[in-house]
């Protein structure tokens, strides 16, 4: 893609769910011609209202200069790439996969696209549904300099921060490394709150100390897992997400795969995956991931 005037650029968008729907809407609002496809009729209805031109198949969405995918998992991406999406696109089409998927799958997807004569970047996001709607996502991009430069104007429409992290798959690496820290730090902060409660330390006093000391971190100061100290955190809204436990568990599973595949001694990352897996099984996975503090408190009762 060389022409970056929005009105002249056709963008295929496959996967118009919680994230993809508002992302595609923002591209349409910015003047891009967006051809959208999803398996779910309600997503297509909403996309039409948002100015997206709905097409009848993913292959039809590939009739574009750029094809963006925002799908649940690596299997979905690879099935589509192998199942005709790449073949349906004209040579040199730029494929941007913004789904959160395994690093190995992201590398395979890139290789498949390049072998089919296309260009490709992995560009997973953070910022959640609110960031997708507001156009303030953070994009972590893996791919060549040229392909990054070609993708950037579109990513700038959907996001507020776009970082080129390295070659193919390295965007996904940045995403899972960050979320592994997030999962571990939320467990650490939650264990500290529950220990403090047992020791007669109030939640507010611990917050006041740790938020100005070496325990300070995002899980404490922005997303505090107990109600009170940070009014906007999900703890004050009965742990409605936010970032659901099931999604945190998915990302920790990808991190655990990568730790094992690369022989990294990541004991806390592996343990965090197990802790969130158990919490997801028992809670259904719909609560915000910061509700892990309630699980730790419950398991500590009577001790
Ligand atoms: P979602 O389930 O709401 O959306 C995925 C969409 O893909 C669904 O609408 C589904 O129908 C569609 N789909 C699946 N297979 C398809 C196919 N073959 N053809 C067309 N459409 C197909 O999920 P989401 O919350 O939008 O997340 C999408 C990706 O973004 C995931 O990889 C997720 O891990 C990642 N992510 C999500 C969040 C979040 O807060 N929701 C934040 C960051 C990253």
């Amino acid at each position: 893609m060389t022409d970056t005037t929005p009105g002249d650029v056709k963008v295929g968008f496959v996967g118009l769910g919680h994230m993809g729907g508002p992302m595609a809407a923002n591209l349409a609002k910015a003047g891009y011609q967006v051809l959208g496809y999803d398996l779910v009729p309600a997503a297509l209805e909403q996309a039409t209202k948002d100015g997206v031109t709905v097409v009848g198949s993913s292959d039809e969405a590939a009739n574009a200069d750029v094809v963006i995918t925002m799908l649940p998992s690596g299997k979905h991406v690879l099935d589509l790439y192998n199942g005709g999406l790449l073949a349906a696109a004209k040579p040199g089409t730029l494929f941007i996969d913004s789904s959160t998927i395994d690093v190995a799958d992201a590398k395979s997807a890139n290789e498949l696209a390049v072998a089919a004569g296309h260009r490709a970047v992995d560009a997973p996001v953070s910022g959640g549904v609110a960031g997708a709607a507001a156009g303030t996502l953070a994009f972590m991009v893996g791919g060549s300099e040229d392909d990054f430069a070609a993708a950037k104007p579109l990513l700038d429409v959907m996001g507020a921060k776009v970082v080129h992290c390295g070659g193919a798959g390295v965007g996904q690496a940045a995403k899972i490394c960050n979320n592994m820290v997030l999962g571990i730090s939320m467990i650490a902060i939650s264990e500290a709150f529950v220990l403090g409660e047992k020791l007669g330390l109030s939640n507010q006093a611990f917050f006041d100390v740790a938020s100005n000391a070496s325990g300070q971190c995002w899980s404490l100061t922005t997303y505090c897992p107990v109600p009170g100290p940070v009014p906007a955190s999900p703890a004050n809204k009965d742990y409605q997400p936010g970032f659901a436990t099931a999604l945190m568990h998915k990302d920790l599973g990808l991190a655990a795969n990568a730790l094992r595949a690369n022989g990294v001694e990541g004991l806390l990352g592996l343990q965090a995956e197990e802790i969130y897996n158990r919490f997801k099984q028992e809670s259904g996975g719909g609560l915000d991931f910061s509700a892990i503090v309630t699980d730790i408190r419950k398991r500590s009762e009577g001790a």
Side-chain angles (χ1 to χ4, degrees), residues 73-75 77-78 101-110 112 254:
S73 73
K75 183 177 172 354
V77 177
L78 292 176
I101 68 175
D102 220 277
V103 175
D105 287 345
K107 286 185 179 160
S108 300
N110 186 284
L112 285 169
L254 297 175

Side-chain angles (χ1 to χ4, degrees), residues 14 17-19 38-40 70-72 76 100 125 128 247 250:
V14 183
H18 290 100
M19 297 293 289
D38 197 287
L39 301 174
V40 175
M70 193 52 170
L71 297 164
H76 292 84
T100 303
V125 303
L247 286 173
K250 173 193 167 181

Side-chain angles (χ1 to χ4, degrees), residues 158-169:
M158 299 181 283
K161 179 96 183 146
V162 180
V163 179
H164 188 199
C165 299

Side-chain angles (χ1 to χ4, degrees), residues 9 16 26 61 64 88 94 100 125 130 136 145 173 203-204 221 245 258 265 289 293 301:
V9 179
L16 302 167
N26 282 331
L94 175 65
T100 303
V125 303
T136 56
E145 286 287 350
N203 289 163
Q204 187 64 50
T221 55
T245 295
E265 174 83 353
F289 81 107
V293 71
E301 273 165 12

Side-chain angles (χ1 to χ4, degrees), residues 25-82:
N26 282 331
L27 288 173
K29 203 159 73 181
Y32 287 95
Q33 304 172 49
V34 184
L35 307 179
Y37 181 67
D38 197 287
L39 301 174
V40 175
L44 298 178
E45 278 167 36
Q46 184 59 47
T48 303
K49 286 184 197 148
D50 291 337
V52 171
T53 303
V54 165
V55 293
S57 70
S58 50
D59 288 1
E60 280 181 59
N63 177 24
D65 304 296
V66 182
V67 178
I68 302 177
T69 42
M70 193 52 170
L71 297 164
S73 73
K75 183 177 172 354
H76 292 84
V77 177
L78 292 176
D79 282 355
L80 268 185
Y81 275 28
N82 281 316

